[in-house]
Amino acid sequence: MDYTYRHKKMAGLCSGAERVLDIGWYHAPNPYLRNKVVVGLDLKSRETPPNYTSCLAGDAMNLPEPFGPESFEAIVAGELIEHLENPVDFLRRCARLLTPGGRLVLSTPNPHYPAESLLTITLNRRYFYHPDHVFLFPQRWMIRMMEVAGFTEVKLSSGGVYLPGIGYIPFPRPWCYEYIATGVVKK
């Protein structure tokens, strides 16, 4: 799958940050992160991509380990939060890793994507029903979760919609396949 559109957008939201942590990078490292320090963290590790400084195996739910508090100016978590049983706890752990004014950039599937909405009405479990997803987050509730976890200036944007053979393309935020949420940590 071609993640170029989403990756470029998420990397752009991290521009200006010197140190970036990419949580959940293993299956789709972001080649557009061009920050001075880019660290990948996932349950397992593999060869470090050329634009990453290092990659570590670790659990997103054990943050701030193996890092100390206020270790990064930005954290990227693409398509991760829907896999976690305690998403607000994860968000709080990210806030502790960020410097004051640091930014969290995450993406997640949109439960209001038209195909998902139709399949929800029919309770269809065959399509868009990923067995590893624990939650899907309506957009306004993602804003609230991030606020509860200590983030301000929470904004949402479209992560696009996927077209086979083309990849992700722009699509209006309310109905996009994946949306991107950003927030600034208050300290």
Side-chain angles (χ1 to χ4, degrees):
M1 198 173 289
D2 183 359
Y3 299 108
T4 301
Y5 176 77
R6 179 169 50 90
H7 276 165
K8 281 183 177 180
K9 196 164 189 176
M10 293 178 80
L13 291 165
C14 294
S15 66
E18 187 171 299
R19 297 166 297 169
V20 176
L21 175 63
D22 185 356
I23 304 173
W25 70 276
Y26 185 84
H27 293 291
N30 189 328
Y32 302 100
L33 291 171
R34 300 285 182 213
N35 310 73
K36 184 175 181 181
V37 174
V38 178
V39 177
L41 178 75
D42 209 318
L43 289 173
K44 49 189 174 179
S45 192
R46 63 179 184 158
E47 186 176 319
T48 302
N51 61 315
Y52 284 56
T53 310
S54 63
C55 292
L56 307 165
D59 187 341
M61 293 309 297
N62 288 329
L63 299 173
E65 297 298 329
F67 315 102
E70 300 183 8
S71 295
F72 299 95
E73 287 89 22
I75 294 176
V76 174
E79 302 307 300
L80 172 75
I81 196 165
E82 65 274 9
H83 297 268
L84 304 176
E85 291 181 7
N86 297 302
V88 174
D89 188 43
F90 167 73
L91 293 170
R92 285 185 176 124
R93 289 169 183 273
C94 287
R96 283 194 290 259
L97 277 177
L98 289 166
T99 58
R103 177 177 302 275
L104 174 65
V105 179
L106 64 84
S107 65
T108 191
N110 179 11
H112 299 295
Y113 174 60
E116 176 65 36
S117 294
L118 179 62
L119 295 168
T120 296
I121 290 168
T122 64
L123 295 180
N124 185 304
R125 294 183 188 188
R126 185 171 177 190
Y127 302 102
F128 298 107
Y129 195 75
H130 197 289
D132 293 336
H133 288 182
V134 179
F135 298 106
L136 291 181
F137 303 100
Q139 295 173 35
R140 67 190 188 107
W141 288 103
M142 176 59 75
I143 293 169
R144 184 67 188 128
M145 284 188 346
M146 290 180 73
E147 290 170 342
V148 166
F151 290 91
T152 62
E153 301 175 42
V154 178
K155 296 180 180 152
L156 302 181
S157 60
S158 172
V161 67
Y162 181 76
L163 295 179
I166 297 172
Y168 282 84
I169 62 167
F171 203 76
R173 181 203 40 81
W175 307 284
C176 60
Y177 177 64
E178 299 166 343
Y179 65 89
I180 296 170
T182 61
V184 175
V185 72
K186 61 180 180 182
K187 294 211 179 180

